[in-house]
mmCIF file of all heavy atoms in Angstrom:
data_model
loop_
_atom_site.group_PDB
_atom_site.id
_atom_site.type_symbol
_atom_site.label_atom_id
_atom_site.label_comp_id
_atom_site.label_asym_id
_atom_site.label_seq_id
_atom_site.Cartn_x
_atom_site.Cartn_y
_atom_site.Cartn_z
ATOM 1 N N MET A 1 108.562 232.589 124.260
ATOM 2 C CA MET A 1 108.069 232.099 125.551
ATOM 3 C C MET A 1 108.553 230.676 125.829
ATOM 4 O O MET A 1 108.852 230.332 126.966
ATOM 5 C CB MET A 1 106.529 232.136 125.555
ATOM 6 C CG MET A 1 105.915 231.902 126.922
ATOM 7 S SD MET A 1 106.323 233.213 128.105
ATOM 8 C CE MET A 1 105.471 232.633 129.556
ATOM 9 N N ASN A 2 108.626 229.860 124.769
ATOM 10 C CA ASN A 2 109.145 228.497 124.943
ATOM 11 C C ASN A 2 110.567 228.515 125.482
ATOM 12 O O ASN A 2 110.964 227.656 126.257
ATOM 13 C CB ASN A 2 109.095 227.746 123.612
ATOM 14 C CG ASN A 2 107.701 227.231 123.320
ATOM 15 O OD1 ASN A 2 107.002 226.783 124.219
ATOM 16 N ND2 ASN A 2 107.284 227.316 122.065
ATOM 17 N N GLU A 3 111.327 229.510 125.028
ATOM 18 C CA GLU A 3 112.710 229.606 125.492
ATOM 19 C C GLU A 3 112.775 229.915 126.985
ATOM 20 O O GLU A 3 113.647 229.405 127.702
ATOM 21 C CB GLU A 3 113.453 230.695 124.704
ATOM 22 C CG GLU A 3 113.757 230.335 123.259
ATOM 23 C CD GLU A 3 112.544 230.415 122.360
ATOM 24 O OE1 GLU A 3 111.528 231.007 122.798
ATOM 25 O OE2 GLU A 3 112.596 229.892 121.232
ATOM 26 N N LEU A 4 111.849 230.760 127.451
ATOM 27 C CA LEU A 4 111.821 231.071 128.884
ATOM 28 C C LEU A 4 111.433 229.845 129.714
ATOM 29 O O LEU A 4 111.957 229.626 130.815
ATOM 30 C CB LEU A 4 110.844 232.224 129.149
ATOM 31 C CG LEU A 4 111.276 233.599 128.630
ATOM 32 C CD1 LEU A 4 110.191 234.636 128.907
ATOM 33 C CD2 LEU A 4 112.587 234.029 129.276
ATOM 34 N N ILE A 5 110.503 229.045 129.186
ATOM 35 C CA ILE A 5 110.130 227.805 129.882
ATOM 36 C C ILE A 5 111.329 226.857 129.927
ATOM 37 O O ILE A 5 111.578 226.203 130.946
ATOM 38 C CB ILE A 5 108.940 227.132 129.168
ATOM 39 C CG1 ILE A 5 107.724 228.057 129.188
ATOM 40 C CG2 ILE A 5 108.607 225.803 129.843
ATOM 41 C CD1 ILE A 5 107.213 228.374 130.575
ATOM 42 N N TYR A 6 112.074 226.814 128.818
ATOM 43 C CA TYR A 6 113.289 225.987 128.787
ATOM 44 C C TYR A 6 114.280 226.470 129.853
ATOM 45 O O TYR A 6 114.881 225.670 130.578
ATOM 46 C CB TYR A 6 113.914 226.087 127.390
ATOM 47 C CG TYR A 6 115.147 225.223 127.190
ATOM 48 C CD1 TYR A 6 115.045 223.903 126.781
ATOM 49 C CD2 TYR A 6 116.425 225.753 127.417
ATOM 50 C CE1 TYR A 6 116.171 223.114 126.597
ATOM 51 C CE2 TYR A 6 117.560 224.980 127.244
ATOM 52 C CZ TYR A 6 117.421 223.669 126.827
ATOM 53 O OH TYR A 6 118.549 222.896 126.654
ATOM 54 N N PHE A 7 114.423 227.800 129.952
ATOM 55 C CA PHE A 7 115.316 228.385 130.969
ATOM 56 C C PHE A 7 114.823 228.030 132.372
ATOM 57 O O PHE A 7 115.615 227.694 133.256
ATOM 58 C CB PHE A 7 115.362 229.907 130.778
ATOM 59 C CG PHE A 7 116.260 230.608 131.750
ATOM 60 C CD1 PHE A 7 117.624 230.700 131.523
ATOM 61 C CD2 PHE A 7 115.734 231.184 132.907
ATOM 62 C CE1 PHE A 7 118.456 231.350 132.428
ATOM 63 C CE2 PHE A 7 116.559 231.839 133.811
ATOM 64 C CZ PHE A 7 117.922 231.916 133.563
ATOM 65 N N PHE A 8 113.509 228.098 132.569
ATOM 66 C CA PHE A 8 112.945 227.784 133.885
ATOM 67 C C PHE A 8 113.228 226.331 134.253
ATOM 68 O O PHE A 8 113.634 226.021 135.381
ATOM 69 C CB PHE A 8 111.436 228.049 133.881
ATOM 70 C CG PHE A 8 110.775 227.870 135.219
ATOM 71 C CD1 PHE A 8 110.720 228.900 136.132
ATOM 72 C CD2 PHE A 8 110.213 226.636 135.563
ATOM 73 C CE1 PHE A 8 110.128 228.717 137.376
ATOM 74 C CE2 PHE A 8 109.613 226.449 136.805
ATOM 75 C CZ PHE A 8 109.567 227.497 137.709
ATOM 76 N N ASN A 9 113.013 225.424 133.291
ATOM 77 C CA ASN A 9 113.202 223.988 133.577
ATOM 78 C C ASN A 9 114.659 223.652 133.857
ATOM 79 O O ASN A 9 114.964 222.872 134.760
ATOM 80 C CB ASN A 9 112.703 223.148 132.406
ATOM 81 C CG ASN A 9 111.195 223.125 132.317
ATOM 82 O OD1 ASN A 9 110.502 223.326 133.308
ATOM 83 N ND2 ASN A 9 110.668 222.893 131.127
ATOM 84 N N TYR A 10 115.554 224.227 133.054
ATOM 85 C CA TYR A 10 116.950 223.799 133.110
ATOM 86 C C TYR A 10 117.844 224.684 133.985
ATOM 87 O O TYR A 10 118.984 224.327 134.236
ATOM 88 C CB TYR A 10 117.538 223.723 131.694
ATOM 89 C CG TYR A 10 117.031 222.535 130.939
ATOM 90 C CD1 TYR A 10 115.881 222.618 130.165
ATOM 91 C CD2 TYR A 10 117.666 221.294 131.017
ATOM 92 C CE1 TYR A 10 115.386 221.519 129.483
ATOM 93 C CE2 TYR A 10 117.188 220.192 130.338
ATOM 94 C CZ TYR A 10 116.052 220.316 129.568
ATOM 95 O OH TYR A 10 115.561 219.213 128.900
ATOM 96 N N VAL A 11 117.340 225.832 134.409
ATOM 97 C CA VAL A 11 118.146 226.698 135.285
ATOM 98 C C VAL A 11 117.455 226.897 136.641
ATOM 99 O O VAL A 11 118.045 226.606 137.687
ATOM 100 C CB VAL A 11 118.411 228.060 134.619
ATOM 101 C CG1 VAL A 11 119.093 229.002 135.605
ATOM 102 C CG2 VAL A 11 119.292 227.879 133.395
ATOM 103 N N VAL A 12 116.217 227.369 136.626
ATOM 104 C CA VAL A 12 115.546 227.673 137.900
ATOM 105 C C VAL A 12 115.299 226.396 138.698
ATOM 106 O O VAL A 12 115.671 226.299 139.873
ATOM 107 C CB VAL A 12 114.221 228.433 137.637
ATOM 108 C CG1 VAL A 12 113.511 228.697 138.967
ATOM 109 C CG2 VAL A 12 114.495 229.736 136.914
ATOM 110 N N VAL A 13 114.682 225.402 138.047
ATOM 111 C CA VAL A 13 114.378 224.150 138.758
ATOM 112 C C VAL A 13 115.665 223.390 139.081
ATOM 113 O O VAL A 13 115.907 223.001 140.232
ATOM 114 C CB VAL A 13 113.424 223.266 137.926
ATOM 115 C CG1 VAL A 13 113.232 221.911 138.623
ATOM 116 C CG2 VAL A 13 112.084 223.962 137.747
ATOM 117 N N LEU A 148 101.050 225.589 130.024
ATOM 118 C CA LEU A 148 100.692 227.001 130.098
ATOM 119 C C LEU A 148 100.025 227.420 128.794
ATOM 120 O O LEU A 148 100.390 226.928 127.714
ATOM 121 C CB LEU A 148 101.941 227.860 130.351
ATOM 122 C CG LEU A 148 102.673 227.607 131.681
ATOM 123 C CD1 LEU A 148 103.914 228.486 131.761
ATOM 124 C CD2 LEU A 148 101.759 227.881 132.862
ATOM 125 N N PRO A 149 99.034 228.313 128.841
ATOM 126 C CA PRO A 149 98.336 228.738 127.609
ATOM 127 C C PRO A 149 99.276 229.480 126.652
ATOM 128 O O PRO A 149 100.063 230.329 127.081
ATOM 129 C CB PRO A 149 97.222 229.664 128.126
ATOM 130 C CG PRO A 149 97.663 230.087 129.488
ATOM 131 C CD PRO A 149 98.470 228.968 130.042
ATOM 132 N N GLY A 150 99.193 229.097 125.367
ATOM 133 C CA GLY A 150 100.002 229.777 124.354
ATOM 134 C C GLY A 150 101.432 229.311 124.281
ATOM 135 O O GLY A 150 102.238 229.899 123.540
ATOM 136 N N VAL A 151 101.777 228.276 125.027
ATOM 137 C CA VAL A 151 103.151 227.767 125.047
ATOM 138 C C VAL A 151 103.116 226.268 124.778
ATOM 139 O O VAL A 151 102.293 225.550 125.358
ATOM 140 C CB VAL A 151 103.822 228.031 126.406
ATOM 141 C CG1 VAL A 151 105.276 227.576 126.383
ATOM 142 C CG2 VAL A 151 103.739 229.495 126.775
ATOM 143 N N THR A 152 103.967 225.804 123.889
ATOM 144 C CA THR A 152 103.969 224.369 123.563
ATOM 145 C C THR A 152 104.813 223.565 124.537
ATOM 146 O O THR A 152 104.561 222.388 124.755
ATOM 147 C CB THR A 152 104.519 224.155 122.136
ATOM 148 O OG1 THR A 152 105.840 224.715 122.064
ATOM 149 C CG2 THR A 152 103.617 224.812 121.108
ATOM 150 N N ARG A 153 105.819 224.198 125.123
ATOM 151 C CA ARG A 153 106.714 223.474 126.040
ATOM 152 C C ARG A 153 106.168 223.576 127.469
ATOM 153 O O ARG A 153 105.924 224.682 127.957
ATOM 154 C CB ARG A 153 108.115 224.074 125.977
ATOM 155 C CG ARG A 153 109.152 223.311 126.811
ATOM 156 C CD ARG A 153 110.478 224.036 126.768
ATOM 157 N NE ARG A 153 111.077 223.991 125.448
ATOM 158 C CZ ARG A 153 111.874 223.017 125.030
ATOM 159 N NH1 ARG A 153 112.146 222.010 125.830
ATOM 160 N NH2 ARG A 153 112.382 223.057 123.819
ATOM 161 N N PRO A 154 105.952 222.440 128.179
ATOM 162 C CA PRO A 154 105.428 222.510 129.560
ATOM 163 C C PRO A 154 106.536 222.721 130.584
ATOM 164 O O PRO A 154 107.712 222.457 130.320
ATOM 165 C CB PRO A 154 104.793 221.130 129.734
ATOM 166 C CG PRO A 154 105.654 220.231 128.893
ATOM 167 C CD PRO A 154 106.129 221.050 127.719
ATOM 168 N N ILE A 155 106.123 223.214 131.752
ATOM 169 C CA ILE A 155 107.039 223.222 132.904
ATOM 170 C C ILE A 155 107.091 221.796 133.459
ATOM 171 O O ILE A 155 106.056 221.173 133.687
ATOM 172 C CB ILE A 155 106.541 224.198 133.985
ATOM 173 C CG1 ILE A 155 106.641 225.634 133.480
ATOM 174 C CG2 ILE A 155 107.334 224.030 135.272
ATOM 175 C CD1 ILE A 155 106.066 226.665 134.432
ATOM 176 N N ILE A 156 108.287 221.270 133.613
ATOM 177 C CA ILE A 156 108.448 219.880 134.064
ATOM 178 C C ILE A 156 109.107 219.870 135.431
ATOM 179 O O ILE A 156 110.143 220.511 135.638
ATOM 180 C CB ILE A 156 109.297 219.078 133.059
ATOM 181 C CG1 ILE A 156 108.606 219.055 131.692
ATOM 182 C CG2 ILE A 156 109.523 217.656 133.552
ATOM 183 C CD1 ILE A 156 109.432 218.406 130.603
ATOM 184 N N LEU A 273 124.084 227.670 135.696
ATOM 185 C CA LEU A 273 124.196 228.713 134.670
ATOM 186 C C LEU A 273 125.428 228.508 133.794
ATOM 187 O O LEU A 273 125.419 228.831 132.607
ATOM 188 C CB LEU A 273 124.253 230.098 135.338
ATOM 189 C CG LEU A 273 122.945 230.586 135.953
ATOM 190 C CD1 LEU A 273 123.185 231.817 136.826
ATOM 191 C CD2 LEU A 273 121.933 230.921 134.854
ATOM 192 N N PHE A 276 124.555 225.864 131.187
ATOM 193 C CA PHE A 276 123.317 226.080 130.429
ATOM 194 C C PHE A 276 123.642 226.506 128.993
ATOM 195 O O PHE A 276 124.563 227.291 128.751
ATOM 196 C CB PHE A 276 122.481 227.167 131.109
ATOM 197 C CG PHE A 276 121.204 227.498 130.376
ATOM 198 C CD1 PHE A 276 120.177 226.579 130.302
ATOM 199 C CD2 PHE A 276 121.052 228.732 129.755
ATOM 200 C CE1 PHE A 276 119.003 226.869 129.624
ATOM 201 C CE2 PHE A 276 119.880 229.038 129.086
ATOM 202 C CZ PHE A 276 118.860 228.110 129.015
ATOM 203 N N ASN A 277 122.869 225.971 128.049
ATOM 204 C CA ASN A 277 123.058 226.310 126.640
ATOM 205 C C ASN A 277 122.333 227.627 126.325
ATOM 206 O O ASN A 277 121.126 227.651 126.061
ATOM 207 C CB ASN A 277 122.518 225.178 125.760
ATOM 208 C CG ASN A 277 122.769 225.444 124.286
ATOM 209 O OD1 ASN A 277 123.463 226.402 123.914
ATOM 210 N ND2 ASN A 277 122.200 224.628 123.427
ATOM 211 N N TRP A 278 123.084 228.741 126.351
ATOM 212 C CA TRP A 278 122.483 230.071 126.191
ATOM 213 C C TRP A 278 121.990 230.322 124.774
ATOM 214 O O TRP A 278 121.220 231.256 124.546
ATOM 215 C CB TRP A 278 123.496 231.139 126.593
ATOM 216 C CG TRP A 278 123.779 231.143 128.061
ATOM 217 C CD1 TRP A 278 124.772 230.476 128.709
ATOM 218 C CD2 TRP A 278 123.019 231.790 129.076
ATOM 219 N NE1 TRP A 278 124.696 230.666 130.064
ATOM 220 C CE2 TRP A 278 123.633 231.485 130.325
ATOM 221 C CE3 TRP A 278 121.894 232.608 129.071
ATOM 222 C CZ2 TRP A 278 123.147 231.954 131.529
ATOM 223 C CZ3 TRP A 278 121.403 233.097 130.289
ATOM 224 C CH2 TRP A 278 122.030 232.768 131.487
ATOM 225 N N SER A 279 122.411 229.527 123.823
ATOM 226 C CA SER A 279 121.948 229.733 122.441
ATOM 227 C C SER A 279 120.442 229.514 122.334
ATOM 228 O O SER A 279 119.781 230.127 121.482
ATOM 229 C CB SER A 279 122.698 228.808 121.485
ATOM 230 O OG SER A 279 122.372 227.465 121.744
ATOM 231 N N VAL A 280 119.882 228.644 123.184
ATOM 232 C CA VAL A 280 118.427 228.407 123.166
ATOM 233 C C VAL A 280 117.694 229.695 123.537
ATOM 234 O O VAL A 280 116.689 230.056 122.915
ATOM 235 C CB VAL A 280 118.061 227.268 124.139
ATOM 236 C CG1 VAL A 280 116.548 227.102 124.224
ATOM 237 C CG2 VAL A 280 118.720 225.973 123.709
ATOM 238 N N LEU A 281 118.203 230.394 124.548
ATOM 239 C CA LEU A 281 117.554 231.623 125.003
ATOM 240 C C LEU A 281 117.710 232.759 123.987
ATOM 241 O O LEU A 281 116.891 233.681 123.937
ATOM 242 C CB LEU A 281 118.161 232.044 126.351
ATOM 243 C CG LEU A 281 117.293 232.877 127.292
ATOM 244 C CD1 LEU A 281 116.006 232.140 127.631
ATOM 245 C CD2 LEU A 281 118.049 233.227 128.561
ATOM 246 N N LEU A 282 118.773 232.671 123.175
ATOM 247 C CA LEU A 282 119.037 233.747 122.198
ATOM 248 C C LEU A 282 118.422 233.479 120.827
ATOM 249 O O LEU A 282 118.562 234.310 119.927
ATOM 250 C CB LEU A 282 120.560 233.922 122.055
ATOM 251 C CG LEU A 282 121.294 234.389 123.322
ATOM 252 C CD1 LEU A 282 122.802 234.401 123.076
ATOM 253 C CD2 LEU A 282 120.817 235.773 123.750
ATOM 254 N N ARG A 283 117.754 232.346 120.651
ATOM 255 C CA ARG A 283 117.195 232.011 119.341
ATOM 256 C C ARG A 283 116.237 233.069 118.793
ATOM 257 O O ARG A 283 116.262 233.367 117.593
ATOM 258 C CB ARG A 283 116.475 230.657 119.416
ATOM 259 C CG ARG A 283 117.406 229.461 119.263
ATOM 260 C CD ARG A 283 116.653 228.166 119.445
ATOM 261 N NE ARG A 283 117.578 227.051 119.582
ATOM 262 C CZ ARG A 283 117.236 225.854 120.019
ATOM 263 N NH1 ARG A 283 115.985 225.621 120.354
ATOM 264 N NH2 ARG A 283 118.129 224.901 120.123
ATOM 265 N N PRO A 284 115.362 233.680 119.620
ATOM 266 C CA PRO A 284 114.463 234.709 119.058
ATOM 267 C C PRO A 284 115.220 235.893 118.456
ATOM 268 O O PRO A 284 114.657 236.631 117.635
ATOM 269 C CB PRO A 284 113.626 235.139 120.280
ATOM 270 C CG PRO A 284 113.671 233.973 121.201
ATOM 271 C CD PRO A 284 115.027 233.377 121.027
ATOM 272 N N LEU A 285 116.484 236.091 118.845
ATOM 273 C CA LEU A 285 117.275 237.219 118.338
ATOM 274 C C LEU A 285 118.118 236.819 117.126
ATOM 275 O O LEU A 285 118.858 237.653 116.596
ATOM 276 C CB LEU A 285 118.194 237.748 119.444
ATOM 277 C CG LEU A 285 117.513 238.159 120.758
ATOM 278 C CD1 LEU A 285 118.565 238.545 121.793
ATOM 279 C CD2 LEU A 285 116.535 239.309 120.524
ATOM 280 N N ARG A 286 118.000 235.555 116.696
ATOM 281 C CA ARG A 286 118.892 235.074 115.630
ATOM 282 C C ARG A 286 118.735 235.878 114.342
ATOM 283 O O ARG A 286 119.725 236.242 113.705
ATOM 284 C CB ARG A 286 118.582 233.602 115.356
ATOM 285 C CG ARG A 286 119.380 232.993 114.222
ATOM 286 C CD ARG A 286 119.042 231.541 114.020
ATOM 287 N NE ARG A 286 119.501 230.740 115.148
ATOM 288 C CZ ARG A 286 119.207 229.458 115.305
ATOM 289 N NH1 ARG A 286 118.450 228.848 114.417
ATOM 290 N NH2 ARG A 286 119.667 228.789 116.343
ATOM 291 N N ASP A 287 117.492 236.202 113.964
ATOM 292 C CA ASP A 287 117.273 236.912 112.696
ATOM 293 C C ASP A 287 117.794 238.345 112.734
ATOM 294 O O ASP A 287 118.089 238.926 111.688
ATOM 295 C CB ASP A 287 115.775 236.916 112.366
ATOM 296 C CG ASP A 287 115.255 235.504 112.105
ATOM 297 O OD1 ASP A 287 116.089 234.630 111.740
ATOM 298 O OD2 ASP A 287 114.045 235.281 112.289
ATOM 299 N N LEU A 295 124.934 232.231 115.410
ATOM 300 C CA LEU A 295 124.667 231.692 116.736
ATOM 301 C C LEU A 295 125.023 230.206 116.773
ATOM 302 O O LEU A 295 124.455 229.413 116.009
ATOM 303 C CB LEU A 295 123.189 231.884 117.088
ATOM 304 C CG LEU A 295 122.792 231.764 118.561
ATOM 305 C CD1 LEU A 295 123.478 232.829 119.397
ATOM 306 C CD2 LEU A 295 121.273 231.873 118.702
ATOM 307 N N ASN A 297 125.266 226.206 118.017
ATOM 308 C CA ASN A 297 124.251 225.310 118.577
ATOM 309 C C ASN A 297 124.402 225.164 120.093
ATOM 310 O O ASN A 297 123.428 224.952 120.801
ATOM 311 C CB ASN A 297 124.349 223.929 117.922
ATOM 312 C CG ASN A 297 123.930 223.983 116.470
ATOM 313 O OD1 ASN A 297 123.040 224.764 116.097
ATOM 314 N ND2 ASN A 297 124.570 223.177 115.633
#
Side-chain angles (χ1 to χ4, degrees):
M1 191 65 180
N2 280 321
E3 289 75 14
L4 290 178
I5 299 297
Y6 183 87
F7 181 83
F8 185 87
N9 287 335
Y10 286 90
V11 173
V12 178
V13 174
L148 297 178
V151 184
T152 58
R153 185 184 292 272
I155 292 175
I156 299 174
L273 288 168
F276 178 68
N277 184 7
W278 291 93
S279 66
V280 175
L281 206 58
L282 296 175
R283 277 176 192 166
L285 305 175
R286 177 179 292 172
D287 295 336
L295 197 62
N297 292 326

